[in-house]
Amino acid sequence: MAETKKIEEEEQKITIEDLPGVGEATAEKLRENGYDDIMTLAVASPKDLSEIGGIAEGAAVKIIAAARKYADVGNFETGEEILERRRLIKKLTTGSKNLDDLLGGGLETQSITEFFGEFGSGKTQIMLQLAVNATTPVENGGFDSDVLIIDTENTFRPERIIQMSKYKGLDPDLVLKRIHVARAYNSHHQILLGEKAAELSKEFDIKLLLVDSLTSHFRSEYMGRGSLAERQQLLNRHMHDLLRFGTINNAVIAVTNQVSARPDIFFGDPMTPIGGNIVGHTATFRIYLRKSKGGKRIARLIDSPYLPEGETVIQLSEDGIMDGS
Ligand code: ADP
Ligand code: MG
């Protein structure tokens, strides 16, 4: 942990202006186009950079080569180090014992857990419940920590936090003080907030980072086939920032995602999550929420690397998330 923090700080000392051939004007152009750190440049292609305009392909090759020298691209870890890091993994309760069991004990730190489902399926309710739960002591399934929420749909409701806190016998004011909410107005703002999360974690002990919703801005801003590649590239970068935050801070990352109907599926459930392979491969745990009677919702675990697929019923209520019967 201390080790990873140190590496990160060393990386941050070198800015893109330190690269040969990158003056103020070029740096500004690069930043405007999302190339704001050494790592992003190191993994860029010369063609990408030259398309920005004002940077010749030859110059782009040199900039990328220099960035690669500085960037810690070949950061290998031994199996022993990875095992050591995995020993630190902690679990956060969802409020439903059944759902926790389905997840092997709760949401894991150092991974991204994705909840997807149609409008009203309970994604935001789960996010709010997780926020409350994270502030509770470890013996109650929490982290006794602060929470960061990136809210893209303006659906954060302090009133719901108060209701859920009261039900658990918590002081609602104390809980609200520990939840830091940032509204994201568009996908670039959302990406920036994902990067800024690291700064907030220096001031507060944040063990839960929520993005509700991960994909809505990307979906509405990048329509049509022509912009799909760019959308996926940005989404990929954003998700890796989130994952990095989770690894460095030993934090849970939970995101929500919408579904769209696939017209080519005639049997079974045609609803499929947005974001394609990028989201599917970066999220370690994916849970599909479906509406049932009243406040009941069916939660299904999909594509887990080591847990069996399965489903369970949860209940949405004024008091929060609990087991459904
Ligand atoms: P999504 O984010 O997936 O669109 P939400 O998390 O906003 O969906 O879920 C909305 C549902 O949550 C409502 O249909 C209702 O069943 C439940 N819900 C929200 N607020 C309350 C409340 N105060 N009391 C009981 N149930 C609630
Ligand atoms: Mg919602």
Side-chain angles (χ1 to χ4, degrees):
M1 280 278 288
E3 186 81 344
T4 4
K5 271 229 151 94
K6 215 172 85 201
I7 291 170
E8 196 205 17
E9 272 162 23
E10 274 168 18
E11 246 177 48
Q12 283 177 350
K13 276 183 204 154
I14 301 160
T15 66
I16 61 172
E17 281 92 348
D18 297 324
L19 298 172
V22 180
E24 231 171 80
T26 309
E28 194 176 325
K29 269 208 193 90
L30 288 170
R31 287 220 164 82
E32 274 169 11
N33 286 278
Y35 299 97
D36 44 11
D37 63 12
I38 299 292
M39 188 59 92
T40 323
L41 279 175
V43 298
S45 78
K47 193 170 160 287
D48 289 342
L49 291 200
S50 56
E51 273 171 6
I52 290 175
I55 301 174
E57 191 145 347
V61 170
K62 278 185 196 150
I63 292 171
I64 291 166
R68 287 189 175 172
K69 250 190 230 163
Y70 285 116
D72 204 353
V73 188
N75 193 4
F76 291 97
E77 275 183 299
T78 64
E80 194 188 13
E81 282 163 343
I82 293 171
L83 181 65
E84 192 51 45
R85 183 150 51 72
R86 287 196 57 82
R87 281 209 183 99
L88 297 171
I89 289 178
K90 296 196 168 42
K91 304 213 171 159
L92 173 64
T93 183
T94 60
S96 155
K97 173 88 172 56
N98 292 344
L99 184 51
D100 288 353
D101 288 347
L102 191 67
L103 286 162
L107 270 70
E108 277 191 5
T109 59
Q110 303 180 28
S111 303
I112 297 179
T113 303
E114 171 198 356
F115 291 89
F116 69 94
E118 62 176 313
F119 175 77
S121 59
K123 302 180 295 292
T124 295
Q125 300 306 308
I126 292 176
M127 294 297 110
L128 297 174
Q129 184 72 65
L130 289 171
V132 171
N133 294 353
T135 68
T136 64
V138 176
E139 54 271 28
N140 297 338
F143 298 145
D144 192 12
S145 80
D146 281 33
V147 177
L148 176 53
I149 304 182
I150 300 178
D151 180 11
T152 75
E153 298 181 320
N154 200 17
T155 50
F156 175 78
R157 292 290 174 275
E159 297 81 1
R160 289 293 287 138
I161 299 290
I162 293 171
Q163 288 174 328
M164 292 173 178
S165 303
K166 280 187 180 159
Y167 175 71
K168 290 176 87 87
L170 304 167
D171 179 343
D173 293 334
L174 292 183
V175 174
L176 284 170
K177 272 200 183 89
R178 303 187 82 172
I179 300 176
H180 310 264
V181 184
R183 205 43 232 290
Y185 294 96
N186 57 49
S187 64
H188 276 92
H189 191 196
Q190 183 179 336
I191 290 171
L192 188 68
L193 288 169
E195 291 169 2
K196 294 277 174 200
E199 282 172 27
L200 198 71
S201 74
K202 285 178 189 147
E203 200 178 332
F204 301 99
D205 175 32
I206 295 165
K207 291 266 180 284
L208 175 64
L209 169 56
L210 302 169
V211 185
D212 184 14
S213 129
L214 176 73
T215 46
S216 58
H217 283 317
F218 290 93
R219 184 189 198 183
S220 61
E221 290 166 31
Y222 297 89
M223 307 245 262
R225 290 212 163 266
S227 54
L228 194 65
E230 192 189 352
R231 183 188 88 174
Q232 293 305 86
Q233 192 197 344
L234 289 171
L235 203 46
N236 186 33
R237 187 176 131 202
H238 181 46
M239 288 201 78
H240 280 93
D241 287 341
L242 300 177
L243 196 54
R244 188 175 152 90
F245 182 93
T247 310
I248 290 173
N249 298 289
N250 196 27
V252 164
I253 312 294
V255 303
T256 67
N257 192 3
Q258 294 143 306
V259 288
S260 67
R262 276 182 59 177
D264 56 325
I265 293 183
F266 300 107
F267 299 102
D269 192 340
M271 302 311 271
T272 180
I274 309 290
N277 288 339
I278 297 289
V279 175
H281 290 158
T282 321
T284 313
F285 303 97
R286 315 192 82 185
I287 295 153
Y288 180 26
L289 297 166
R290 271 168 16 246
K291 287 183 190 168
S292 184
K293 284 197 189 103
K296 289 199 198 333
R297 299 291 185 270
I298 300 153
R300 179 168 190 84
L301 180 68
I302 294 176
D303 309 328
S304 161
Y306 56 84
L307 293 169
E309 275 210 11
E311 58 181 41
T312 190
V313 182
I314 59 168
Q315 175 79 47
L316 311 180
S317 76
E318 176 157 329
D319 295 330
I321 308 292
M322 47 202 71
D323 281 346
S325 44

